[in-house]
Amino acid sequence: SQQGEEDPQALSIQEGENATMNCSYKTSINNLQWYRQNSGRGLVHLILIRSNEREKHSGRLRVTLDTSKKSSSLLITASRAADTASYFCATLEGGYQKVTFGTGTKLQVIP
Amino acid sequence: EPEVTQTPSHQVTQMGQEVILRCVPISNHLYFYWYRQILGQKVEFLVSFYNNEISEKSEIFDDQFSVERPDGSNFTLKIRSTKLEDSAMYFCASSEARIGVTEAFFGQGTRLTVV
């Protein structure tokens, strides 16, 4: 299996609803990050959570990290049409100077 | 707001030709990276660069690839003898400290099409 697999692969919700995306990983990590990518565009850093943190908030975003289960979740509250994008988790593995991206969740928010 | 800029935004090249993808990282950043994303697939790490040398590279980054920081502001990725399977979006990134410790800033990407 790959480091960093998100589920679901695709998610479609109505504007105003909450969206939850999950990420699982295999090896021990220093931290985990979430990125957003609009179709055909660059990657935008959303939030970083360190391995010793359990939960972090940034605006409408809430990220949790469970290192015992090697999983993380990204919650977007009160979604907007502009949140439509692909969301990737990315992990920094211990001792390595690279970030490994997951497969991504494609979120569609219907106005 | 400072940003990473990449040029060109789209490059079409003949198979077997050499291409150079250019990036201007954020000026006070010390770490530079190239990633690629084949259409519909995940973002893959290629190489990281610090203090004028490669600090880490993936299996993808073979002898066909090279990176350079020719003049203190640009950071380039050269692909020699391009193959069809090199068609992808290539992202440059930079960070102030080690990636993952502080956030990395990504450029908008160069879409490379090999025909």
Side-chain angles (χ1 to χ4, degrees), chain B residues 19-72:
Chain B
V19 294
I20 296 176
L21 309 183
R22 302 181 191 279
C23 169
V24 179
I26 295 173
S27 61
N28 64 336
H29 285 188
L30 301 177
Y31 291 84
F32 314 112
Y33 312 85
W34 283 102
Y35 284 77
R36 80 170 185 191
Q37 185 181 33
I38 295 170
L39 186 63
Q41 297 187 25
K42 60 195 292 183
V43 178
E44 301 173 292
F45 170 79
L46 292 178
V47 66
S48 59
F49 191 87
Y50 170 71
N51 201 26
N52 283 321
E53 61 182 25
I54 290 173
S55 48
E56 188 163 356
K57 60 183 181 179
S58 71
E59 306 84 30
I60 302 167
F61 195 89
D62 58 21
D63 292 342
Q64 185 194 7
F65 295 88
S66 63
V67 289
E68 199 177 31
R69 189 153 160 81
D71 56 14

Side-chain angles (χ1 to χ4, degrees), chain B:
Chain B
E1 187 176 321
E3 59 180 14
V4 175
T5 57
Q6 290 185 244
T7 55
S9 56
H10 191 187
Q11 172 99 41
V12 181
T13 190
Q14 294 269 345
M15 191 169 58
Q17 295 294 306
E18 175 183 285
V19 294
I20 296 176
L21 309 183
R22 302 181 191 279
C23 169
V24 179
I26 295 173
S27 61
N28 64 336
H29 285 188
L30 301 177
Y31 291 84
F32 314 112
Y33 312 85
W34 283 102
Y35 284 77
R36 80 170 185 191
Q37 185 181 33
I38 295 170
L39 186 63
Q41 297 187 25
K42 60 195 292 183
V43 178
E44 301 173 292
F45 170 79
L46 292 178
V47 66
S48 59
F49 191 87
Y50 170 71
N51 201 26
N52 283 321
E53 61 182 25
I54 290 173
S55 48
E56 188 163 356
K57 60 183 181 179
S58 71
E59 306 84 30
I60 302 167
F61 195 89
D62 58 21
D63 292 342
Q64 185 194 7
F65 295 88
S66 63
V67 289
E68 199 177 31
R69 189 153 160 81
D71 56 14
S73 63
N74 290 287
F75 180 51
T76 62
L77 174 69
K78 182 188 291 186
I79 309 174
R80 285 180 280 275
S81 189
T82 49
K83 299 175 280 198
L84 294 177
E85 53 265 38
D86 294 327
S87 295
M89 183 78 97
Y90 288 81
F91 293 105
C92 172
S94 70
S95 68
E96 202 173 326
R98 194 160 62 98
I99 191 169
V101 177
T102 63
E103 64 184 280
F105 292 81
F106 282 79
Q108 290 299 314
T110 292
R111 184 173 297 283
L112 176 65
T113 303
V114 182
V115 296

Side-chain angles (χ1 to χ4, degrees), chain A residues 13-66:
Chain A
I13 59 173
Q14 294 287 331
E15 200 167 32
E17 293 180 339
N18 296 341
T20 300
M21 289 159 270
N22 302 296
C23 167
S24 60
Y25 57 92
K26 298 293 180 187
T27 62
S28 63
I29 60 171
N30 288 336
N31 61 56
L32 185 144
Q33 303 176 73
W34 285 90
Y35 284 82
R36 185 185 73 222
Q37 183 183 34
N38 290 78
S39 179
R41 307 282 291 175
L43 294 152
V44 176
H45 184 270
L46 295 176
I47 196 165
L48 180 154
I49 185 165
R50 301 190 192 285
S51 59
N52 61 352
E53 296 176 311
R54 292 295 167 260
E55 188 172 309
K56 203 159 183 180
H57 298 254
S58 176
R60 293 184 296 113
L61 305 180
R62 174 177 164 250
V63 168
T64 63
L65 179 64
D66 187 335

